[in-house]
Amino acid sequence: MRLVVIGGVAAGLSAAARARRIDKSLDITVLEKGDWISWAACGLPYYIGGQTKSLDDLVRYTPEQFARERNITVRTRAEAAVIAHSRREVVLNGGEKIHYDRLVIATGARPALGGIEGIEQKHIFTLNTLSDARRLREFICARRPRTAAVIGGGYVGLEAVEALRANGLKVTLISKDSRILGRGDATLTNAVTAQLERFGVEFRTGTIVRKIDSIPHDLVVLATGFKPNIEIAADGGIEIGRTGAIRVTERMETNLSGVFAAGDCAEATHLVTGRAAYIPLGTTANKMGRVAGACAAGARESFPGVVGTLIVRVCGLGVGMTGLAPGQAKSEGFDVVSTVIEAPVRPGYYTEYHGSQKTQIELVADRKTGRLLGGTVIGDEGVAGRVNVIATALHARIKVDEFAQFDFAYAPPFAPVWDPLLIAAQQLEKLL
Amino acid sequence: MRLVVIGGVAAGLSAAARARRIDKSLDITVLEKGDWISWAACGLPYYIGGQTKSLDDLVRYTPEQFARERNITVRTRAEAAVIAHSRREVVLNGGEKIHYDRLVIATGARPALGGIEGIEQKHIFTLNTLSDARRLREFICARRPRTAAVIGGGYVGLEAVEALRANGLKVTLISKDSRILGRGDATLTNAVTAQLERFGVEFRTGTIVRKIDSIPHDLVVLATGFKPNIEIAADGGIEIGRTGAIRVTERMETNLSGVFAAGDCAEATHLVTGRAAYIPLGTTANKMGRVAGACAAGARESFPGVVGTLIVRVCGLGVGMTGLAPGQAKSEGFDVVSTVIEAPVRPGYYTEYHGSQKTQIELVADRKTGRLLGGTVIGDEGVAGRVNVIATALHARIKVDEFAQFDFAYAPPFAPVWDPLLIAAQQLEKLL
């Protein structure tokens, strides 16, 4: 029995490794169109920013390791061109046919660059692959650019801004939306805008760039979002969901029996709305990949979905979010109540640490059911932890009045007696 | 209608303030036996350690503020001696009688010192009140002691050790149990023991101190636990629970109608075991106080209980726990499965921060139901956040296989792609 996996990064390799753990006898082949496998796309901005010294550090495994340690064949420069499911064959670009019994599609995503003219120029970059990052870093070192524009107010754009500022460039962030991170959230946008201003970053919102030449900067990074690589899947008869990504069951199976999809090419259920969403992220890709691999190897596992958790550092400021922003919740038909609080992260009498001693928290709930729908956490400390607490509450469908009583850790070096999460929940309770 | 509150610290003042918010016309009197109100007991070790400069910083409100801002009468040096419920009277030590319609008992706790001889000496201290802390600090400054012993391996003992080390003393920690923090947890004990060794603290376990003179140290801190102040309640006909603290309903009401209890003198339901527990902590006291005050003022609120969350810093190391340790869970009749993992708190390629890049996590579950029962988190970073995530999962009665799929925040400056919590949960899943 042969499992073929298309894609040798997060989801694909998670699937292959997990399938091997479940079935020692499976014949497993991974097809990767690029030169490298198992590299950390999320690390690219930090290679530009200098926190990661070498691109090699971003590559975790080699094909040789997969062969030796897991008995998995990994082929690089092997681009799948056709999925012929009736014959259970993947046809490579060069014409070679590879038989499969089970197939995992983990073709990932590519930058969505639609409609911008002039992007083929030498000073234009995306930040999607190791080659992209190498080219950008070399350009910065060789050309010493002084100004940069980043197009796109998503997390990649914000990470690129921080990385370019760390290189001493004067940076302009250009976003087509008036609000950032695709959440339409005013609180979030205001906090990030203030932080960008503090770091001398010009932020132009509501600006659609049609021609690169209209932006007179020494360097431009395009961070205009992702497009799932679904073409060979769609051509092979695999169903695409409303989001434009591959539709999968909880077992990560597509409409074709024995064909699974995982990672940035696939949809996931948003557990707050109950509907399919396209939120391509490394964590989700790994989780989906594990389940796809397990199920492809015959196990019964499932991936219920995501709650939309995201964290990004903006010029040193931690910005995390999960679930729905107030506007998103409203569009989903909820009767939205929300609150924003700012509260200290330690008791006032505890003076050991410097930096902002406050964190800002936005909580969103449904008035009808009292259920928590989402939250945003902004601050210098404890952002990931507090976002993860809210994410856990969303997974568990917790109500605000329950949340307001939760038994959180307290000691002066770590938190105030009323954790900011509890203060936010109490505040929100009053509005329900 | 008059509400009388016995006790002017965390629970008592929370109750009074909350009652006022609910009923503007209530006549509210708080009776505090000591000189100060509204002081942060949890801050005392940090005054000794130097992170809090002045004892005044630990006092949040004065009686005058309560009178002016909330129209609440706060009487200090007013010690309640008798509760005469048939006459709805509190009798003060001096004989004065104070009528109540509703009563909140928030008498707190005192150090449990049972059976140690010689504790009246000048070099012996507890760390329970502002006066205790002042006397200890003055002793350290005036006498320049070189060695100290701390008796008690609970969180107060561990905080006292850190504070005394910060003053340059050679410290010995003496615990009657072989394991610390009253959880019988080997993982926790080993990690804390290693940290104490690193800081040159001698740790003597399984040692019961009967005579102070058997300990040849310049200074001794007694941190042998707390005893709830329940005597006047018990004498007044109020029921005491199996734990030795005052038994209350979810509304914080005692067996006497209209008489509430809250804080360190009262029990709370442990939501993992479903049984009453005595875990006196500032956070819980505040939450109980709020609910007691609300209900005393006629509102319908409830405090469901705690999950046993605790965090303590041990010579710089963060040590957090929630729910049940493996041995505790076993005693409660669960079919216990547990695992301990150590995992990095950021991707290996992200090199910006120093310090230990790892955290240790223990998760405990019930084999029969798959339900998470508890967890311990130890490390330099992110301890409170991860403990709070586990606490949230305990409140929500989450199963390990659900937890292992949760959508936690990921970006290289904040966390690795598989958060240590997910790694621990996956590991535990394999054992179920």
Side-chain angles (χ1 to χ4, degrees), chain A residues 51-52 287 302 307-309 313 349 351 388 395 405-407 409, chain B residues 51-52 287 302 307-309 349-351 388 395 405-407 409:
Chain A
Q51 294 91 351
T52 296
K287 285 180 196 131
S302 63
V307 294
T309 309
R313 201 174 60 177
Y349 60 75
T351 59
N388 288 344
H395 275 285
Q405 304 264 30
F406 276 7
D407 188 10
Chain B
Q51 295 92 351
T52 296
K287 285 179 196 133
S302 64
V307 294
T309 308
Y349 60 75
Y350 190 91
T351 60
N388 288 344
H395 275 286
Q405 304 264 30
F406 277 6
D407 188 11

PDB file of all heavy atoms in Angstrom, chain A residues 51-52 287 302 307-309 313 349 351 388 395 405-407 409, chain B residues 51-52 287 302 307-309 349-351 388 395 405-407 409:
ATOM      1  N   GLN A  51      17.250  37.946  14.003  1.00  0.00           N
ATOM      2  CA  GLN A  51      17.137  37.059  15.166  1.00  0.00           C
ATOM      3  C   GLN A  51      17.502  35.626  14.789  1.00  0.00           C
ATOM      4  O   GLN A  51      17.748  34.794  15.651  1.00  0.00           O
ATOM      5  CB  GLN A  51      15.713  37.073  15.734  1.00  0.00           C
ATOM      6  CG  GLN A  51      15.275  38.397  16.325  1.00  0.00           C
ATOM      7  CD  GLN A  51      14.581  39.276  15.286  1.00  0.00           C
ATOM      8  OE1 GLN A  51      14.563  38.978  14.090  1.00  0.00           O
ATOM      9  NE2 GLN A  51      14.029  40.386  15.746  1.00  0.00           N
ATOM     10  N   THR A  52      17.468  35.341  13.484  1.00  0.00           N
ATOM     11  CA  THR A  52      17.879  34.030  12.984  1.00  0.00           C
ATOM     12  C   THR A  52      19.072  34.256  12.074  1.00  0.00           C
ATOM     13  O   THR A  52      18.986  35.029  11.120  1.00  0.00           O
ATOM     14  CB  THR A  52      16.708  33.366  12.223  1.00  0.00           C
ATOM     15  OG1 THR A  52      15.647  33.140  13.158  1.00  0.00           O
ATOM     16  CG2 THR A  52      17.128  32.057  11.586  1.00  0.00           C
ATOM     17  N   LYS A 287      -1.234  20.487  12.534  1.00  0.00           N
ATOM     18  CA  LYS A 287      -2.301  19.680  13.149  1.00  0.00           C
ATOM     19  C   LYS A 287      -3.092  18.925  12.089  1.00  0.00           C
ATOM     20  O   LYS A 287      -3.400  17.741  12.241  1.00  0.00           O
ATOM     21  CB  LYS A 287      -3.238  20.584  13.949  1.00  0.00           C
ATOM     22  CG  LYS A 287      -2.640  21.049  15.258  1.00  0.00           C
ATOM     23  CD  LYS A 287      -3.627  21.939  15.998  1.00  0.00           C
ATOM     24  CE  LYS A 287      -2.932  22.717  17.093  1.00  0.00           C
ATOM     25  NZ  LYS A 287      -3.247  24.150  17.058  1.00  0.00           N
ATOM     26  N   SER A 302      -9.528  12.881  14.175  1.00  0.00           N
ATOM     27  CA  SER A 302     -10.207  14.001  13.544  1.00  0.00           C
ATOM     28  C   SER A 302      -9.620  15.317  14.025  1.00  0.00           C
ATOM     29  O   SER A 302      -9.019  15.401  15.103  1.00  0.00           O
ATOM     30  CB  SER A 302     -11.705  13.954  13.836  1.00  0.00           C
ATOM     31  OG  SER A 302     -11.914  14.092  15.213  1.00  0.00           O
ATOM     32  N   VAL A 307     -10.068  28.212  16.147  1.00  0.00           N
ATOM     33  CA  VAL A 307     -10.850  29.334  16.666  1.00  0.00           C
ATOM     34  C   VAL A 307     -10.277  30.671  16.190  1.00  0.00           C
ATOM     35  O   VAL A 307     -10.698  31.728  16.657  1.00  0.00           O
ATOM     36  CB  VAL A 307     -10.970  29.304  18.211  1.00  0.00           C
ATOM     37  CG1 VAL A 307     -11.783  28.099  18.662  1.00  0.00           C
ATOM     38  CG2 VAL A 307      -9.609  29.314  18.887  1.00  0.00           C
ATOM     39  N   GLY A 308      -9.338  30.600  15.230  1.00  0.00           N
ATOM     40  CA  GLY A 308      -8.829  31.846  14.636  1.00  0.00           C
ATOM     41  C   GLY A 308      -7.799  32.568  15.484  1.00  0.00           C
ATOM     42  O   GLY A 308      -7.738  33.796  15.492  1.00  0.00           O
ATOM     43  N   THR A 309      -6.959  31.801  16.190  1.00  0.00           N
ATOM     44  CA  THR A 309      -5.930  32.413  17.031  1.00  0.00           C
ATOM     45  C   THR A 309      -4.755  32.897  16.178  1.00  0.00           C
ATOM     46  O   THR A 309      -4.305  32.199  15.287  1.00  0.00           O
ATOM     47  CB  THR A 309      -5.425  31.391  18.064  1.00  0.00           C
ATOM     48  OG1 THR A 309      -6.536  30.819  18.726  1.00  0.00           O
ATOM     49  CG2 THR A 309      -4.493  32.051  19.064  1.00  0.00           C
ATOM     50  N   ARG A 313       4.136  40.145  16.482  1.00  0.00           N
ATOM     51  CA  ARG A 313       4.848  41.189  17.190  1.00  0.00           C
ATOM     52  C   ARG A 313       5.007  42.382  16.269  1.00  0.00           C
ATOM     53  O   ARG A 313       5.462  42.242  15.132  1.00  0.00           O
ATOM     54  CB  ARG A 313       6.205  40.687  17.654  1.00  0.00           C
ATOM     55  CG  ARG A 313       6.753  41.536  18.801  1.00  0.00           C
ATOM     56  CD  ARG A 313       8.013  40.973  19.362  1.00  0.00           C
ATOM     57  NE  ARG A 313       9.034  40.911  18.344  1.00  0.00           N
ATOM     58  CZ  ARG A 313      10.274  40.514  18.573  1.00  0.00           C
ATOM     59  NH1 ARG A 313      10.632  40.116  19.756  1.00  0.00           N
ATOM     60  NH2 ARG A 313      11.146  40.487  17.595  1.00  0.00           N
ATOM     61  N   TYR A 349       2.522  47.669  43.571  1.00  0.00           N
ATOM     62  CA  TYR A 349       3.594  47.732  44.561  1.00  0.00           C
ATOM     63  C   TYR A 349       4.796  46.893  44.182  1.00  0.00           C
ATOM     64  O   TYR A 349       5.827  46.943  44.848  1.00  0.00           O
ATOM     65  CB  TYR A 349       3.074  47.309  45.937  1.00  0.00           C
ATOM     66  CG  TYR A 349       2.509  45.901  46.012  1.00  0.00           C
ATOM     67  CD1 TYR A 349       3.349  44.794  46.019  1.00  0.00           C
ATOM     68  CD2 TYR A 349       1.136  45.685  46.080  1.00  0.00           C
ATOM     69  CE1 TYR A 349       2.840  43.508  46.082  1.00  0.00           C
ATOM     70  CE2 TYR A 349       0.624  44.399  46.150  1.00  0.00           C
ATOM     71  CZ  TYR A 349       1.473  43.317  46.153  1.00  0.00           C
ATOM     72  OH  TYR A 349       0.972  42.048  46.223  1.00  0.00           O
ATOM     73  N   THR A 351       7.750  46.321  41.943  1.00  0.00           N
ATOM     74  CA  THR A 351       8.456  47.254  41.046  1.00  0.00           C
ATOM     75  C   THR A 351       9.677  46.646  40.374  1.00  0.00           C
ATOM     76  O   THR A 351      10.529  47.358  39.891  1.00  0.00           O
ATOM     77  CB  THR A 351       8.923  48.478  41.861  1.00  0.00           C
ATOM     78  OG1 THR A 351       9.785  47.998  42.898  1.00  0.00           O
ATOM     79  CG2 THR A 351       7.754  49.215  42.458  1.00  0.00           C
ATOM     80  N   ASN A 388      -4.192  32.486  24.649  1.00  0.00           N
ATOM     81  CA  ASN A 388      -4.441  31.043  24.707  1.00  0.00           C
ATOM     82  C   ASN A 388      -5.525  30.680  25.718  1.00  0.00           C
ATOM     83  O   ASN A 388      -6.266  29.721  25.514  1.00  0.00           O
ATOM     84  CB  ASN A 388      -3.137  30.301  25.038  1.00  0.00           C
ATOM     85  CG  ASN A 388      -2.170  30.307  23.871  1.00  0.00           C
ATOM     86  OD1 ASN A 388      -2.558  30.601  22.737  1.00  0.00           O
ATOM     87  ND2 ASN A 388      -0.920  29.997  24.137  1.00  0.00           N
ATOM     88  N   HIS A 395     -12.871  27.242  22.524  1.00  0.00           N
ATOM     89  CA  HIS A 395     -13.010  25.819  22.209  1.00  0.00           C
ATOM     90  C   HIS A 395     -14.072  25.187  23.105  1.00  0.00           C
ATOM     91  O   HIS A 395     -14.827  24.327  22.674  1.00  0.00           O
ATOM     92  CB  HIS A 395     -11.677  25.098  22.427  1.00  0.00           C
ATOM     93  CG  HIS A 395     -10.741  25.163  21.259  1.00  0.00           C
ATOM     94  ND1 HIS A 395     -10.913  24.425  20.124  1.00  0.00           N
ATOM     95  CD2 HIS A 395      -9.610  25.880  21.052  1.00  0.00           C
ATOM     96  CE1 HIS A 395      -9.933  24.665  19.264  1.00  0.00           C
ATOM     97  NE2 HIS A 395      -9.120  25.568  19.800  1.00  0.00           N
ATOM     98  N   GLN A 405     -15.142  34.049  36.687  1.00  0.00           N
ATOM     99  CA  GLN A 405     -14.881  33.430  37.986  1.00  0.00           C
ATOM    100  C   GLN A 405     -13.712  32.449  37.919  1.00  0.00           C
ATOM    101  O   GLN A 405     -13.456  31.734  38.903  1.00  0.00           O
ATOM    102  CB  GLN A 405     -16.117  32.656  38.449  1.00  0.00           C
ATOM    103  CG  GLN A 405     -17.389  33.466  38.513  1.00  0.00           C
ATOM    104  CD  GLN A 405     -17.655  33.980  39.913  1.00  0.00           C
ATOM    105  OE1 GLN A 405     -16.728  34.222  40.686  1.00  0.00           O
ATOM    106  NE2 GLN A 405     -18.914  34.148  40.232  1.00  0.00           N
ATOM    107  N   PHE A 406     -13.037  32.360  36.800  1.00  0.00           N
ATOM    108  CA  PHE A 406     -12.016  31.322  36.634  1.00  0.00           C
ATOM    109  C   PHE A 406     -10.840  31.548  37.579  1.00  0.00           C
ATOM    110  O   PHE A 406     -10.478  32.676  37.906  1.00  0.00           O
ATOM    111  CB  PHE A 406     -11.556  31.253  35.182  1.00  0.00           C
ATOM    112  CG  PHE A 406     -12.461  30.415  34.310  1.00  0.00           C
ATOM    113  CD1 PHE A 406     -13.659  29.913  34.786  1.00  0.00           C
ATOM    114  CD2 PHE A 406     -12.117  30.132  32.993  1.00  0.00           C
ATOM    115  CE1 PHE A 406     -14.507  29.135  33.988  1.00  0.00           C
ATOM    116  CE2 PHE A 406     -12.941  29.358  32.187  1.00  0.00           C
ATOM    117  CZ  PHE A 406     -14.127  28.857  32.675  1.00  0.00           C
ATOM    118  N   ASP A 407     -10.263  30.428  37.957  1.00  0.00           N
ATOM    119  CA  ASP A 407      -9.224  30.379  38.986  1.00  0.00           C
ATOM    120  C   ASP A 407      -7.848  30.522  38.328  1.00  0.00           C
ATOM    121  O   ASP A 407      -7.157  29.541  38.079  1.00  0.00           O
ATOM    122  CB  ASP A 407      -9.360  29.022  39.704  1.00  0.00           C
ATOM    123  CG  ASP A 407      -8.471  28.904  40.928  1.00  0.00           C
ATOM    124  OD1 ASP A 407      -7.882  29.923  41.338  1.00  0.00           O
ATOM    125  OD2 ASP A 407      -8.371  27.781  41.461  1.00  0.00           O
ATOM    126  N   ALA A 409      -3.860  31.959  37.929  1.00  0.00           N
ATOM    127  CA  ALA A 409      -2.670  32.019  38.774  1.00  0.00           C
ATOM    128  C   ALA A 409      -2.411  33.444  39.250  1.00  0.00           C
ATOM    129  O   ALA A 409      -2.480  34.389  38.473  1.00  0.00           O
ATOM    130  CB  ALA A 409      -1.458  31.512  37.995  1.00  0.00           C
TER     131      ALA A 409
ATOM    132  N   GLN B  51      11.566  44.158  46.338  1.00  0.00           N
ATOM    133  CA  GLN B  51      10.849  44.579  45.128  1.00  0.00           C
ATOM    134  C   GLN B  51       9.751  45.588  45.461  1.00  0.00           C
ATOM    135  O   GLN B  51       9.255  46.286  44.587  1.00  0.00           O
ATOM    136  CB  GLN B  51      10.210  43.372  44.429  1.00  0.00           C
ATOM    137  CG  GLN B  51      11.196  42.360  43.875  1.00  0.00           C
ATOM    138  CD  GLN B  51      11.504  41.261  44.887  1.00  0.00           C
ATOM    139  OE1 GLN B  51      11.126  41.328  46.051  1.00  0.00           O
ATOM    140  NE2 GLN B  51      12.222  40.247  44.440  1.00  0.00           N
ATOM    141  N   THR B  52       9.375  45.639  46.725  1.00  0.00           N
ATOM    142  CA  THR B  52       8.398  46.622  47.192  1.00  0.00           C
ATOM    143  C   THR B  52       9.104  47.487  48.232  1.00  0.00           C
ATOM    144  O   THR B  52       9.637  46.971  49.214  1.00  0.00           O
ATOM    145  CB  THR B  52       7.177  45.904  47.799  1.00  0.00           C
ATOM    146  OG1 THR B  52       6.553  45.158  46.760  1.00  0.00           O
ATOM    147  CG2 THR B  52       6.188  46.892  48.401  1.00  0.00           C
ATOM    148  N   LYS B 287     -12.812  36.889  45.026  1.00  0.00           N
ATOM    149  CA  LYS B 287     -13.972  36.410  44.268  1.00  0.00           C
ATOM    150  C   LYS B 287     -15.120  36.040  45.207  1.00  0.00           C
ATOM    151  O   LYS B 287     -16.273  36.384  44.975  1.00  0.00           O
ATOM    152  CB  LYS B 287     -13.588  35.188  43.434  1.00  0.00           C
ATOM    153  CG  LYS B 287     -12.771  35.542  42.213  1.00  0.00           C
ATOM    154  CD  LYS B 287     -12.397  34.278  41.447  1.00  0.00           C
ATOM    155  CE  LYS B 287     -11.280  34.573  40.478  1.00  0.00           C
ATOM    156  NZ  LYS B 287     -10.212  33.582  40.544  1.00  0.00           N
ATOM    157  N   SER B 302     -23.329  33.652  42.181  1.00  0.00           N
ATOM    158  CA  SER B 302     -22.751  32.463  42.789  1.00  0.00           C
ATOM    159  C   SER B 302     -21.277  32.336  42.446  1.00  0.00           C
ATOM    160  O   SER B 302     -20.809  32.867  41.447  1.00  0.00           O
ATOM    161  CB  SER B 302     -23.506  31.215  42.354  1.00  0.00           C
ATOM    162  OG  SER B 302     -23.368  31.034  40.977  1.00  0.00           O
ATOM    163  N   VAL B 307     -10.161  25.593  41.015  1.00  0.00           N
ATOM    164  CA  VAL B 307      -9.533  24.377  40.488  1.00  0.00           C
ATOM    165  C   VAL B 307      -8.140  24.169  41.098  1.00  0.00           C
ATOM    166  O   VAL B 307      -7.387  23.309  40.649  1.00  0.00           O
ATOM    167  CB  VAL B 307      -9.471  24.378  38.935  1.00  0.00           C
ATOM    168  CG1 VAL B 307     -10.875  24.313  38.343  1.00  0.00           C
ATOM    169  CG2 VAL B 307      -8.718  25.597  38.403  1.00  0.00           C
ATOM    170  N   GLY B 308      -7.831  24.962  42.138  1.00  0.00           N
ATOM    171  CA  GLY B 308      -6.564  24.740  42.840  1.00  0.00           C
ATOM    172  C   GLY B 308      -5.349  25.312  42.153  1.00  0.00           C
ATOM    173  O   GLY B 308      -4.261  24.750  42.223  1.00  0.00           O
ATOM    174  N   THR B 309      -5.521  26.467  41.486  1.00  0.00           N
ATOM    175  CA  THR B 309      -4.399  27.090  40.782  1.00  0.00           C
ATOM    176  C   THR B 309      -3.489  27.818  41.763  1.00  0.00           C
ATOM    177  O   THR B 309      -3.963  28.524  42.652  1.00  0.00           O
ATOM    178  CB  THR B 309      -4.928  28.096  39.748  1.00  0.00           C
ATOM    179  OG1 THR B 309      -5.902  27.443  38.938  1.00  0.00           O
ATOM    180  CG2 THR B 309      -3.804  28.613  38.866  1.00  0.00           C
ATOM    181  N   TYR B 349      15.514  28.216  16.085  1.00  0.00           N
ATOM    182  CA  TYR B 349      16.207  29.169  15.209  1.00  0.00           C
ATOM    183  C   TYR B 349      16.034  30.613  15.648  1.00  0.00           C
ATOM    184  O   TYR B 349      16.650  31.517  15.104  1.00  0.00           O
ATOM    185  CB  TYR B 349      15.718  29.010  13.759  1.00  0.00           C
ATOM    186  CG  TYR B 349      14.230  29.244  13.551  1.00  0.00           C
ATOM    187  CD1 TYR B 349      13.678  30.528  13.552  1.00  0.00           C
ATOM    188  CD2 TYR B 349      13.362  28.176  13.346  1.00  0.00           C
ATOM    189  CE1 TYR B 349      12.323  30.736  13.378  1.00  0.00           C
ATOM    190  CE2 TYR B 349      12.005  28.369  13.157  1.00  0.00           C
ATOM    191  CZ  TYR B 349      11.499  29.648  13.170  1.00  0.00           C
ATOM    192  OH  TYR B 349      10.152  29.856  12.984  1.00  0.00           O
ATOM    193  N   TYR B 350      15.189  30.838  16.659  1.00  0.00           N
ATOM    194  CA  TYR B 350      14.912  32.200  17.106  1.00  0.00           C
ATOM    195  C   TYR B 350      15.787  32.480  18.319  1.00  0.00           C
ATOM    196  O   TYR B 350      15.559  31.951  19.403  1.00  0.00           O
ATOM    197  CB  TYR B 350      13.436  32.354  17.464  1.00  0.00           C
ATOM    198  CG  TYR B 350      13.072  33.788  17.699  1.00  0.00           C
ATOM    199  CD1 TYR B 350      12.611  34.578  16.640  1.00  0.00           C
ATOM    200  CD2 TYR B 350      13.214  34.374  18.947  1.00  0.00           C
ATOM    201  CE1 TYR B 350      12.296  35.906  16.845  1.00  0.00           C
ATOM    202  CE2 TYR B 350      12.908  35.709  19.145  1.00  0.00           C
ATOM    203  CZ  TYR B 350      12.446  36.468  18.101  1.00  0.00           C
ATOM    204  OH  TYR B 350      12.145  37.782  18.297  1.00  0.00           O
ATOM    205  N   THR B 351      16.785  33.325  18.141  1.00  0.00           N
ATOM    206  CA  THR B 351      17.854  33.415  19.133  1.00  0.00           C
ATOM    207  C   THR B 351      17.877  34.722  19.909  1.00  0.00           C
ATOM    208  O   THR B 351      18.876  35.066  20.515  1.00  0.00           O
ATOM    209  CB  THR B 351      19.214  33.247  18.441  1.00  0.00           C
ATOM    210  OG1 THR B 351      19.331  34.301  17.470  1.00  0.00           O
ATOM    211  CG2 THR B 351      19.336  31.906  17.762  1.00  0.00           C
ATOM    212  N   ASN B 388      -2.730  28.974  33.382  1.00  0.00           N
ATOM    213  CA  ASN B 388      -4.091  29.494  33.221  1.00  0.00           C
ATOM    214  C   ASN B 388      -4.854  28.786  32.102  1.00  0.00           C
ATOM    215  O   ASN B 388      -6.067  28.621  32.170  1.00  0.00           O
ATOM    216  CB  ASN B 388      -4.072  30.997  32.978  1.00  0.00           C
ATOM    217  CG  ASN B 388      -3.695  31.768  34.232  1.00  0.00           C
ATOM    218  OD1 ASN B 388      -3.740  31.213  35.336  1.00  0.00           O
ATOM    219  ND2 ASN B 388      -3.322  33.025  34.075  1.00  0.00           N
ATOM    220  N   HIS B 395     -11.756  24.003  34.358  1.00  0.00           N
ATOM    221  CA  HIS B 395     -13.086  24.580  34.575  1.00  0.00           C
ATOM    222  C   HIS B 395     -14.073  24.027  33.549  1.00  0.00           C
ATOM    223  O   HIS B 395     -15.230  23.790  33.863  1.00  0.00           O
ATOM    224  CB  HIS B 395     -13.029  26.109  34.446  1.00  0.00           C
ATOM    225  CG  HIS B 395     -12.626  26.816  35.708  1.00  0.00           C
ATOM    226  ND1 HIS B 395     -13.457  26.965  36.783  1.00  0.00           N
ATOM    227  CD2 HIS B 395     -11.464  27.422  36.057  1.00  0.00           C
ATOM    228  CE1 HIS B 395     -12.842  27.641  37.743  1.00  0.00           C
ATOM    229  NE2 HIS B 395     -11.618  27.929  37.330  1.00  0.00           N
ATOM    230  N   GLN B 405      -5.658  19.417  20.445  1.00  0.00           N
ATOM    231  CA  GLN B 405      -5.923  20.035  19.137  1.00  0.00           C
ATOM    232  C   GLN B 405      -6.202  21.521  19.256  1.00  0.00           C
ATOM    233  O   GLN B 405      -6.596  22.162  18.272  1.00  0.00           O
ATOM    234  CB  GLN B 405      -7.167  19.377  18.507  1.00  0.00           C
ATOM    235  CG  GLN B 405      -7.090  17.886  18.372  1.00  0.00           C
ATOM    236  CD  GLN B 405      -6.639  17.462  16.983  1.00  0.00           C
ATOM    237  OE1 GLN B 405      -5.895  18.177  16.320  1.00  0.00           O
ATOM    238  NE2 GLN B 405      -7.102  16.320  16.554  1.00  0.00           N
ATOM    239  N   PHE B 406      -6.044  22.091  20.440  1.00  0.00           N
ATOM    240  CA  PHE B 406      -6.452  23.481  20.641  1.00  0.00           C
ATOM    241  C   PHE B 406      -5.584  24.448  19.841  1.00  0.00           C
ATOM    242  O   PHE B 406      -4.402  24.210  19.604  1.00  0.00           O
ATOM    243  CB  PHE B 406      -6.433  23.836  22.133  1.00  0.00           C
ATOM    244  CG  PHE B 406      -7.685  23.412  22.868  1.00  0.00           C
ATOM    245  CD1 PHE B 406      -8.669  22.662  22.246  1.00  0.00           C
ATOM    246  CD2 PHE B 406      -7.886  23.775  24.192  1.00  0.00           C
ATOM    247  CE1 PHE B 406      -9.826  22.280  22.923  1.00  0.00           C
ATOM    248  CE2 PHE B 406      -9.042  23.405  24.878  1.00  0.00           C
ATOM    249  CZ  PHE B 406     -10.010  22.655  24.245  1.00  0.00           C
ATOM    250  N   ASP B 407      -6.232  25.527  19.456  1.00  0.00           N
ATOM    251  CA  ASP B 407      -5.660  26.508  18.531  1.00  0.00           C
ATOM    252  C   ASP B 407      -4.917  27.587  19.321  1.00  0.00           C
ATOM    253  O   ASP B 407      -5.440  28.657  19.582  1.00  0.00           O
ATOM    254  CB  ASP B 407      -6.821  27.100  17.724  1.00  0.00           C
ATOM    255  CG  ASP B 407      -6.372  27.993  16.594  1.00  0.00           C
ATOM    256  OD1 ASP B 407      -5.166  28.018  16.285  1.00  0.00           O
ATOM    257  OD2 ASP B 407      -7.250  28.671  16.013  1.00  0.00           O
ATOM    258  N   ALA B 409      -1.738  30.278  20.190  1.00  0.00           N
ATOM    259  CA  ALA B 409      -1.017  31.317  19.457  1.00  0.00           C
ATOM    260  C   ALA B 409       0.389  30.851  19.082  1.00  0.00           C
ATOM    261  O   ALA B 409       1.099  30.281  19.896  1.00  0.00           O
ATOM    262  CB  ALA B 409      -0.925  32.575  20.319  1.00  0.00           C
TER     263      ALA B 409
END
